[in-house]
């Protein structure tokens, strides 16, 4: 079988079109023209004798063949980068781009400062950061890693624990004066809940019950996919919310909200850095994960 010779520049153009969803955005990322990106992708398709992309009303999308090629080639290129970085690392040089995703509220309050410190320590690393409370497709989006809070589902991703996050149940003094203070999770059935909808949305909250856990129903007065929105609703007296302490701590200290049901809270949940297998081996990603572990690994957030 004749060996195919694929140009790395053509591959990079193809990767970026898939990751950004358009030839124009790919051109902007590479600092070149849309026509050059188009020619590179066409050359790659000619080399492979296969249609890799289609254009439609929803933008540019990969064909089934193109998506499969993207996933396999992306991992292979990451391994090639890792091999090159192994040489660079021998001379203490951590360099190259890192595309990263993190949760919005935690990103603003904690990751932003940590990542700025990392960038100052490793000036040859180029960070591309996205904060979003929704879990992104790491492989399909071309991400090197993501920070995720909570228990992880089984997957092929590589995970490194970098911290722990504690959750508290809170309400404003005005709400507690009006509706009473729950002394046991059973009391929640008579209260108004502010529910988080981003992860397994439910009207049932789980609390410690002896050696295990038990679910308790609380009727919803509001639903939101953002913790800061939930905090403002709780501060205004709308209802009871469950929030991570990195969101709630300042309002607790100021007296705007109070912690309730403290004796029944579950243990802290883990926070991980998760990575596609090929990306986890690159020196720059390993350096960032180690840095985040040093920043947050011994801190209860």
């Amino acid at each position: 079988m004749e060996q195919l010779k694929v140009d790395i520049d053509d591959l990079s153009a193809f990767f970026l079109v898939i990751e950004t969803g358009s030839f124009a955005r790919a051109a902007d990322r590479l600092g070149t023209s849309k026509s050059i990106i188009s020619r590179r992708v066409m050359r790659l398709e000619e080399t492979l004798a296969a249609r890799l992309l289609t254009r439609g009303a929803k933008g540019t999308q990969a064909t089934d063949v193109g998506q499969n090629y993207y996933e396999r080639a992306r991992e292979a290129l990451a391994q090639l980068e890792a091999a090159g970085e192994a040489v660079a690392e021998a001379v203490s040089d951590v360099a190259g781009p890192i595309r990263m995703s993190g949760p919005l509220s935690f990103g603003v309050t904690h990751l932003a400062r940590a990542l700025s410190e990392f960038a100052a320590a490793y000036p040859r690393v180029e960070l591309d950061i996205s904060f979003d409370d929704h879990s992104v497709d790491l492989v399909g989006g071309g991400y090197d890693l993501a920070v995720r809070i909570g228990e992880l589902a089984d997957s092929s991703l590589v995970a490194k624990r970098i911290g722990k996050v504690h959750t508290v149940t809170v309400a404003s003094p005005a709400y507690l004066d009006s509706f009473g203070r729950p002394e046991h999770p059973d009391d929640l059935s008579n209260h108004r809940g502010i529910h988080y909808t981003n992860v397994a949305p439910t009207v049932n909250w789980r609390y410690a019950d002896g050696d295990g856990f038990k679910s308790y129903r609380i009727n919803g007065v509001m639903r939101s996919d953002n913790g800061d929105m939930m905090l403002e609703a709780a501060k205004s007296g709308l209802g009871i919310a469950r929030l991570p302490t990195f969101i709630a701590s300042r309002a607790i200290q100021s007296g705007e909200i109070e912690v309730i049901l403290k004796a029944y809270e579950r243990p802290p949940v883990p926070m991980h850095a998760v990575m596609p297998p090929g990306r986890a081996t690159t020196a720059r990603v390993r350096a960032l994960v180690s840095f985040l572990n040093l920043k947050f690994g011994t801190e209860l957030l």
Side-chain angles (χ1 to χ4, degrees), residues 203-270:
V203 295
N204 295 314
W205 293 354
R206 287 172 60 81
Y207 288 91
D209 180 56
D211 294 331
F213 301 97
K214 182 178 176 180
S215 294
Y216 298 86
R217 182 179 179 86
I218 178 169
N219 294 320
V221 66
M222 175 182 283
R223 300 174 186 274
S224 176
D225 64 357
N226 180 262
D228 291 301
M229 172 69 226
M230 295 170 64
L231 173 63
E232 291 304 316
K235 285 162 57 177
S236 72
L238 188 64
I240 299 173
R242 298 190 83 185
L243 296 168
T245 51
F246 64 78
I247 291 178
S249 58
R250 287 188 180 179
I252 294 170
Q253 292 169 5
S254 69
E256 294 173 284
I257 54 176
E258 298 179 19
V259 177
I260 59 176
L261 302 175
K262 188 174 182 179
Y264 302 95
E265 285 294 355
R266 295 180 296 170
V269 298

Side-chain angles (χ1 to χ4, degrees), residues 67-123:
Q67 185 64 35
N68 183 56
Y69 181 73
Y70 168 80
E71 292 174 3
R72 295 167 70 97
R74 203 53 163 126
E75 183 172 348
L77 187 60
Q79 294 287 356
L80 184 62
E81 291 176 347
E85 286 192 355
V87 176
E89 192 175 22
V91 292
S92 301
D93 187 16
V94 176
I98 298 177
R99 182 163 166 77
M100 175 185 169
S101 171
L104 178 58
S105 297
F106 183 75
V108 172
T109 58
H110 287 70
L111 282 176
R113 179 183 294 273
L115 293 172
S116 296
E117 293 174 2
F118 177 82
Y122 295 95

